[in-house]
């Protein structure tokens, strides 16, 4: 079984080794904060051959433990590592530009300048020559010792004890420069080959139709001594998988997603001027905040050294950075499994409302709806799959994500219609034509808003009234996917039924208008109670002696709540009453199917049925009442059969 190899003892030994001095010269120099910081080791996992056969299934199984650290290392079983693609490496006619990095000024956040152009072979020769010169000039530093190189790196970054300028060959398209993954003797790709990973059934990114280099298609990375990848988080808070094909090792640092905001706050406080000049500087991947500084500010940081033939995995919203120990060849790609969906939605919110605004890479709502359609097709062919644990978890998560998206869309659409925007139901554009909102850089899909003065620009529903002075009547709400379509998807994910392939535009318009009225009633704030002014008191004449002699009338004691309402002139509370629900034949049929799927009338509850029938907008009490009638009906039928 998979197990984490890194323990507290090994982490302590690793820290002690990193703190050890290498020479008398080093002991005289003030050490960097990172080399003296207590940084724990990232977890290391060693899967069995059986576990290693399915990458996403295995990564999902270790995610709960690995996500606490943000990054982890996976070491393949003996003899199961991917083969090196020597043929692609020997094709060396394409040239690429490098990025110049001044290691001693990485904490200043300066944009990297372009370096020289190289072929892969020329870059390798340059990188190895640099390593030899650097090692020869520093005989007191063991260039093969990862801890010694780490101390030398952070001494340059934090104390500027010396200067170094290196070149980094990053973001190279594997379609042009070739992938490092080879095939076996039968011509089959390795299960962890990144091209194979993209088409994995559980990778939600496979529904993205167009190629996005580095995200849906892998990128190649050529590094040299001290070549650095600065702190960054993956687009849309996706996971990433990184494999070191050959060459020298890499040192990695990671911050878990739970500490992402703390990391951002620390970075902003450490270099405030950089963030004032460029609020999205972390997305430019040009800044290094020393891990020692992060630890001092209470941010959780982990550390690992990746050797050739090992994978490093980063999980949603985990910041990561690192540097190379010498010339090496690595490859990386993103993937999105079902547990990422919630982070993907949060990424859009951060992009649109947070301090670090950036353009979305793809339309999140398009991906979710298309993934739902794909799984509905699978369930339509084999409805029994919904009962399997793995498929059931995926379908349930997709359904909940769609319900959240539908709820948000209903609220925004109804609000905009009430404000007077025009309505137009249009056909969804091709994926290549998706555009970002001109206000927040999110990429809306289900519906957009256009105005008279900027007819080609789109706005998301959140910023429908921003960016210009057009009145509400000069703006148009373009609905690409109607509410009924989303409800059909939600229903199909639960019952495994098919969905309609086309929408009737006329019927969709009527359904949408009715839904706007329903949402307006359900979401509207309760009316303010009328304030009834108390009647002026009439002054009664003083009572006569006969009245005083009569017994006092019985006091009527009211509750404190009633007294409070009466004192303010407000009507007293009334018992709540719920409008009686009319169950159509379709609703009854869906109700009976849901009862059977939940295990029968004895196992079903009003709450579970309300969740299952959310597409029909029924409450728990309504479902509980219907369930009681259904039980009585079944009992009555059973008694009748017994009598016969």
């Amino acid at each position: 079984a998979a197990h984490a190899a890194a323990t507290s003892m090994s982490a302590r030994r690793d820290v002690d080794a990193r703190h050890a001095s290498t020479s008398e010269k080093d002991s005289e120099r003030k050490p960097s904060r990172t080399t003296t910081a207590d940084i724990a080791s990232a977890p290391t996992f060693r899967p069995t051959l059986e576990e290693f056969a399915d990458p996403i299934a295995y990564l999902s199984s270790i995610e709960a433990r690995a996500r606490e650290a943000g990054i982890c290392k996976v070491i393949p079983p003996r003899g199961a590592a991917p083969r090196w693609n020597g043929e692609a490496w020997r094709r060396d006619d394409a040239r690429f530009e490098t990025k110049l990095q001044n290691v001693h000024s990485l904490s200043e956040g300066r944009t990297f300048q372009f370096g020289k152009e190289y072929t892969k072979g020329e870059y390798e020769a340059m990188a190895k020559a640099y390593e030899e010169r650097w090692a020869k000039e520093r005989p007191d530093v063991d260039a093969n010792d990862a801890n010694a190189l780490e101390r030398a790196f952070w001494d340059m970054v934090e104390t500027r004890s010396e200067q170094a300028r290196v070149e980094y060959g990053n973001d190279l398209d594997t379609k042009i420069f070739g992938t490092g993954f080879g095939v076996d003797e039968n011509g089959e790709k390795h299960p962890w080959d990144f091209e194979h990973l993209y088409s994995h059934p559980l990778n939600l990114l496979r529904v993205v139709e167009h190629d996005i280099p580095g995200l849906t298609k892998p990128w190649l990375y050529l590094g040299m001594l001290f070549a650095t990848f600065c702190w960054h988080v993956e687009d849309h808070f996706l996971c990433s998988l990184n494999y070191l094909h050959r060459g020298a090792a890499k040192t990695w640092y990671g911050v878990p997603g739970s500490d992402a905001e703390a990391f951002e706050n620390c970075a902003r406080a450490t270099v405030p001027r950089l963030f004032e000049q460029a609020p999205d500087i972390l997305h430019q991947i040009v800044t290094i905040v020393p891990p020692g500084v992060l630890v001092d500010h209470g941010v959780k940081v982990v550390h690992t050294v990746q050797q050739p033939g090992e994978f490093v995995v980063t999980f949603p919203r985990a910041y990561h950075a690192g540097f190379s120990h010498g010339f090496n060849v690595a490859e990386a790609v993103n993937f999105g499994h079902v547990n990422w969906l919630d982070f993907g939605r949060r990424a859009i919110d951060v992009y649109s409302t947070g301090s670090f605004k950036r353009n979305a890479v793809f339309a999140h709502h398009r991906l979710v709806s298309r993934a739902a359609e794909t799984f509905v097709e699978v369930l339509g062919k084999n409805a029994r799959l919904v009962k399997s644990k793995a498929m059931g978890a995926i379908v349930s998560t997709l359904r909940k994500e769609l319900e959240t998206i539908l709820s948000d869309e209903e609220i925004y659409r109804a609000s905009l219609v009430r404000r007077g925007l025009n309505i137009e139901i249009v056909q969804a554009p091709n994926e290549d034509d998706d555009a970002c909102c001109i206000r927040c850089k999110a990429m809306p899909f289900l519906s957009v808003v256009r105005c008279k003065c900027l007819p080609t620009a789109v706005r998301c529903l959140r910023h429908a009234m921003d960016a210009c002075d057009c009145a509400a009547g000069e703006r148009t709400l373009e609905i690409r996917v109607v509410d009924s379509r989303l409800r059909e998807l939600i229903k199909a994910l639960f019952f495994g039924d098919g969905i309609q392939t086309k929408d009737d535009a006329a019927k969709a318009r009527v359904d949408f208008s009715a839904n706007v009225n329903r949402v307006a009633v359900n979401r509207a704030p309760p009316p303010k109670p009328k304030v009834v002014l108390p009647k002026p008191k009439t002054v009664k004449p003083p009572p006569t002696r006969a009245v005083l002699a009569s017994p006092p009338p019985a006091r009527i004691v009211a509750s404190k709540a009633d007294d409070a309402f009466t004192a303010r002139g407000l009507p007293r509370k009334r018992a709540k009453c719920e409008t009686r629900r009319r169950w159509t034949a379709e609703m009854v049929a869906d109700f009976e199917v849901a009862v059977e799927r939940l295990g029968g009338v004895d196992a079903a509850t009003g709450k579970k049925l309300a969740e299952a029938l959310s597409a029909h907008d029924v409450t728990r009490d309504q479902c509980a009442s219907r369930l009681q009638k259904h039980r009585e009906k079944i009992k009555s039928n059973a008694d009748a059969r017994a009598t016969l």
Side-chain angles (χ1 to χ4, degrees):
H3 63 280
T7 62
S8 58
M9 290 295 294
S10 63
R12 183 68 259 173
R13 288 195 299 269
D14 182 59
V15 170
D16 292 340
R18 293 169 57 242
H19 292 179
S21 60
T22 57
S23 66
E24 184 178 351
K25 181 179 179 181
D26 287 338
S27 63
E28 295 175 357
R29 183 191 307 146
K30 182 180 179 180
S32 66
R33 297 170 74 174
T34 298
T35 55
T36 58
D38 190 359
I39 301 176
S41 295
T44 299
F45 296 90
R46 300 175 182 271
T48 63
L49 278 172
E50 183 180 359
E51 293 169 334
F52 194 64
D54 190 330
I56 292 187
Y58 176 71
L59 295 177
S60 298
S61 70
I62 65 173
E63 182 177 7
R65 288 170 288 170
R67 190 188 286 180
E68 295 178 358
I71 67 173
C72 74
K73 184 166 65 175
V74 176
I75 301 178
R78 184 181 298 274
R83 293 190 177 186
W84 167 245
N85 188 359
E87 181 181 353
W89 183 258
R90 287 189 291 271
R91 292 196 299 268
D92 198 22
D93 51 349
R95 305 184 70 83
F96 60 90
E97 262 185 328
T98 58
K99 298 287 180 59
L100 281 177
Q101 296 180 329
N102 293 317
V103 180
H104 53 280
S105 60
L106 285 174
S107 59
E108 297 178 4
R110 296 179 181 177
T111 303
F112 299 141
Q113 302 297 318
F114 287 107
K116 297 180 180 179
E117 283 192 355
Y118 298 92
T119 63
K120 292 178 292 187
E122 291 171 350
Y123 181 88
E124 180 178 5
M126 179 275 298
K128 290 184 175 180
Y130 178 86
E131 292 174 40
E132 293 178 2
R133 290 197 306 271
W134 190 88
K136 188 175 181 180
E137 294 171 0
R138 296 160 186 81
D140 57 329
V141 178
D142 184 359
N144 296 318
D145 183 1
N147 296 318
L149 290 178
E150 185 181 23
R151 286 191 293 271
F153 176 81
W154 289 114
D155 281 346
M156 279 189 284
V157 174
E158 296 188 53
T159 68
R160 298 193 177 191
S161 57
E162 59 179 286
Q163 296 184 355
R165 196 179 206 192
V166 299
E167 298 182 74
Y168 187 25
N170 64 322
D171 302 347
L172 305 182
D173 193 341
T174 54
K175 285 187 175 181
I176 300 174
F177 297 94
T179 177
F181 289 99
V183 296
D184 61 16
E185 57 275 4
N186 299 321
E188 298 290 336
K189 291 183 178 180
H190 193 277
W192 289 63
D193 184 313
F194 292 164
E195 289 285 351
H196 188 72
L197 183 74
Y198 167 72
S199 58
H200 193 286
L202 300 182
N203 183 12
L204 299 181
L205 294 185
R206 68 190 178 92
V207 303
V208 178
E209 293 181 348
H210 64 288
D211 292 346
I212 305 176
L215 195 143
T216 61
K217 297 299 178 184
W219 263 340
L220 203 66
Y221 295 85
L222 303 184
M224 61 182 293
L225 181 62
F226 300 138
T228 306
F229 52 102
C230 297
W231 287 112
H232 66 287
V233 67
E234 299 299 318
D235 291 318
H236 291 257
F237 297 165
L238 285 161
C239 304
S240 74
L241 193 57
N242 307 265
Y243 184 67
L244 189 55
H245 288 290
R246 60 188 287 250
K250 280 187 178 184
T251 291
W252 286 73
Y253 302 93
V255 174
S258 57
D259 281 38
E261 292 186 7
F263 168 86
E264 293 165 358
N265 293 334
C266 178
R268 192 184 294 109
T270 304
V271 283
R273 184 177 299 178
L274 291 180
F275 283 87
E276 290 176 2
Q277 297 172 352
D280 63 340
I281 191 169
L282 286 177
H283 297 308
Q284 299 178 20
I285 319 181
V286 295
T287 306
I288 278 289
V289 179
V293 175
L294 297 173
V295 172
D296 290 345
H297 283 75
V299 180
K300 182 177 180 179
V301 183
V302 297
H303 157 278
T304 192
V305 176
Q306 180 189 23
Q307 300 292 344
E310 296 177 349
F311 292 90
V312 168
V313 188
T314 70
F315 291 92
R317 209 182 179 182
Y319 278 92
H320 47 283
F323 66 92
S324 294
H325 297 186
F327 170 75
N328 53 31
V329 182
E331 199 165 338
V333 76
N334 290 114
F335 68 94
H337 57 329
V338 69
N339 294 338
W340 158 79
L341 281 174
D342 184 54
F343 289 91
R345 178 163 28 87
R346 278 190 269 172
I348 300 302
D349 292 336
V350 171
Y351 290 171
S352 60
T353 62
S355 302
F356 309 112
K357 293 187 177 181
R358 66 181 304 180
N359 285 4
V361 180
F362 57 83
H364 179 78
H365 291 172
R366 180 192 284 272
L367 180 143
V368 174
S369 58
R370 185 171 292 168
E373 291 173 354
T374 302
F375 279 96
V376 166
E377 291 177 5
V378 173
L379 294 177
K381 296 176 181 178
N382 188 357
R384 294 182 180 179
L385 288 175
V386 76
K387 295 183 179 180
S388 69
K389 185 176 181 180
M391 184 63 74
I394 295 171
V395 169
S396 175
T397 304
L398 275 174
R399 179 168 56 85
K400 291 177 181 178
E401 183 72 11
L402 276 176
E403 289 171 350
T404 301
I405 292 172
L406 174 60
S407 176
D408 292 343
E409 283 288 313
E410 286 180 334
I411 295 172
Y412 279 116
R413 289 177 181 180
S415 174
L416 294 176
V417 171
R418 290 198 301 270
R419 296 184 70 169
L421 270 71
N422 302 308
I423 306 174
E424 185 176 352
I425 298 178
V426 300
Q427 186 176 2
N430 295 327
E431 195 169 47
D432 293 335
D433 296 329
D434 285 340
C436 290
C437 170
I438 61 173
R439 175 68 172 80
C440 71
K441 309 306 181 185
M443 191 175 288
F445 166 66
L446 300 175
S447 49
V448 299
V449 172
R450 299 183 191 270
C451 70
K452 185 178 180 180
C453 68
L454 295 171
T456 59
V458 299
R459 298 170 178 81
C460 67
L461 302 193
R462 179 178 291 169
H463 300 111
M465 305 303 293
D466 295 350
C468 71
D469 297 328
C470 289
E474 297 175 325
R475 300 173 189 259
T476 301
L477 171 62
E478 293 185 356
I479 299 173
R480 299 169 173 177
V481 181
V482 294
D483 300 350
S484 57
R485 178 70 173 185
L486 295 177
R487 287 196 184 87
E488 286 180 359
L489 277 175
I490 294 171
K491 176 183 174 183
L493 284 173
F494 184 82
F495 295 110
D497 299 333
I499 56 176
Q500 298 177 2
T501 56
K502 294 184 179 180
D503 292 321
D504 185 349
K507 181 178 181 299
R509 183 180 292 276
V510 174
D511 292 343
F512 174 74
S513 300
N515 187 57
V516 166
N517 295 330
R518 179 183 64 80
V519 174
V521 172
N522 292 343
R523 306 287 184 180
K528 295 182 179 180
K530 295 181 180 179
V531 178
V532 180
L533 297 177
K535 295 181 179 180
K537 295 182 179 180
T538 57
V539 180
K540 296 182 179 181
T544 61
R545 185 174 299 178
V547 173
L548 290 174
S550 61
R555 293 183 61 192
I556 300 176
V557 181
S559 66
K560 292 183 179 180
D562 288 342
D563 287 343
F565 271 71
T566 307
R568 294 196 299 269
L570 302 177
R572 293 183 178 179
K573 293 182 179 179
R574 295 182 179 179
K576 293 183 179 179
C577 59
E578 189 174 14
T579 305
R580 186 173 181 178
R581 185 62 188 240
R582 180 178 176 273
W583 290 75
T584 64
E586 180 186 1
M587 293 172 63
V588 172
D590 291 346
F591 172 85
E592 293 176 354
V593 173
V595 169
E596 293 301 321
R597 288 186 179 275
L598 292 172
V601 292
D602 295 330
T605 63
K607 181 179 180 181
K608 293 179 180 179
L609 288 169
E611 294 176 355
L613 300 172
S614 58
H616 292 301
D617 195 25
V618 290
T619 66
R620 181 178 63 178
D621 292 340
Q622 290 168 347
C623 289
S625 176
R626 186 74 196 181
L627 179 61
Q628 182 62 28
K629 293 179 181 179
H630 190 57
R631 287 171 178 159
E632 293 174 356
K633 178 182 176 182
I634 293 176
K635 182 179 179 182
S636 176
N637 292 339
D639 293 342
R641 286 194 297 270
T643 303
L644 294 175

